[in-house]
Amino acid sequence: QVQLQESGPGLVKPSETLSLTCSVSGGSIDRRSYFWGWIRQPPGKGLEWIGSIYYNGSSYYNPSLKSRVALSSDTSTNQFSLRLTSVTAADTAVYYCARQWGRRLAFYHYGMDVWGQGTTVTVSS
Amino acid sequence: QSVLTQPPSVSGAPGQRVTISCTGNSSNIGAPYDVHWYQQLPGRAPKLLIYGDNYRPSGVPDRFSGSKSGTSASLAIAGLQAEDEAEYYCQSYDRSLSGHVFGSGTNVTVL
């Protein structure tokens, strides 16, 4: 059974870079059927897709965050990572990593079938 | 403001049937891209409830069902139980926004 676990600093200063890692166990991130994504949820608000990465490194990003986001993956450690630059208080949220898959094997039809427990990141000086 | 519109809240008595709508447009649900539904209990990560418009993952009770027509989708919960109190989100892809999008969320209350 695949499990995902986010890790990283819980507090980041404004204008600095937020870096999170998602460790995957019970399955390999280089399986071709899956994308691996990041989603966030500001306090008391809804879910926002940040971006997704494929086993070969291909990435898709939310256009509203694209200029500040970079995803990477490391098959040797079975982890994928998120970097978000120039953070502000608006980036304060619970950040989730998730496995993406769909019955129709195309990224546009994918949902998030396995989620990490989430990690809270606060942007504050 | 989400491109997928859900009612802020729905409620029902135990045993009743409730439905949650998710209204989009021709760039997302009507494109047509698959719609997925998630249940989020307080303080917990979201859980996939319905995928591919109307398929249930293993372990999800058959009280939950999904449907789609045109530019809208719906989640139905039959035989409402106290444990169903949660926030529910729909999700699809939007080609105009070039990304995955979530609905605004619906809070389900069991009276």
Side-chain angles (χ1 to χ4, degrees):
Chain A
Q1 181 176 342
V2 174
Q3 293 184 314
L4 283 68
Q5 178 69 58
E6 306 87 351
S7 60
L11 181 64
V12 182
K13 290 182 168 56
S15 80
E16 295 191 344
T17 296
L18 180 162
S19 294
L20 297 175
T21 295
C22 183
S23 300
V24 180
S25 60
S28 175
I29 65 170
D30 64 2
R31 285 282 301 276
R32 297 189 179 195
S33 302
Y34 305 113
F35 272 79
W36 304 90
W38 290 93
I39 302 96
R40 69 180 183 180
Q41 185 171 35
K45 296 188 178 181
L47 301 166
E48 179 183 35
W49 171 72
I50 299 171
S52 305
I53 189 166
Y54 196 40
Y55 80 101
N56 62 0
S58 299
S59 300
Y60 295 90
Y61 299 115
N62 186 325
S64 69
L65 299 169
K66 188 174 183 177
S67 64
R68 300 194 292 129
V69 173
L71 301 189
S72 60
S73 62
D74 186 340
T75 55
S76 66
T77 59
N78 219 34
Q79 296 175 325
F80 61 103
S81 299
L82 164 70
R83 279 174 51 90
L84 181 65
T85 62
S86 305
V87 297
T88 70
D91 296 309
T92 293
V94 176
Y95 285 76
Y96 296 100
C97 59
R99 188 178 75 174
Q100 293 183 258
W101 173 84
R103 67 181 181 93
R104 290 198 276 179
L105 296 180
F107 179 67
Y108 317 108
H109 297 298
Y110 275 22
M112 293 87 179
D113 68 336
V114 182
W115 294 68
Q117 65 183 28
T119 187
T120 299
V121 177
T122 302
V123 178
S124 175
S125 56
Chain B
Q1 190 165 352
S2 177
V3 297
L4 301 181
T5 302
Q6 299 179 232
S9 63
V10 299
S11 60
Q16 282 190 331
R17 181 178 186 271
V18 298
T19 61
I20 301 170
S21 61
C22 176
T23 303
N25 57 43
S26 59
S27 293
N28 41 67
I29 295 176
Y33 295 118
D34 281 3
V35 177
H36 316 284
W37 290 89
Y38 304 89
Q39 177 192 61
Q40 187 176 33
L41 298 171
R44 302 293 298 273
K47 168 191 171 183
L48 181 65
L49 210 57
I50 297 289
Y51 68 94
D53 301 338
N54 54 15
Y55 292 81
R56 279 187 310 277
S58 174
V60 173
D62 59 6
R63 304 186 293 105
F64 295 92
S65 62
S67 63
K68 185 171 81 175
S69 178
T71 58
S72 294
S74 292
L75 173 72
I77 309 174
L80 197 62
Q81 299 181 5
E83 65 201 53
D84 299 332
E85 281 205 338
E87 193 80 11
Y88 292 82
Y89 294 92
C90 60
Q91 176 249 314
S92 188
Y93 185 88
D94 190 290
R95 62 185 174 202
S96 296
L97 298 176
S98 299
H100 292 288
V101 291
F102 288 91
S104 43
T106 298
N107 185 264
V108 170
T109 301
V110 181
L111 302 173

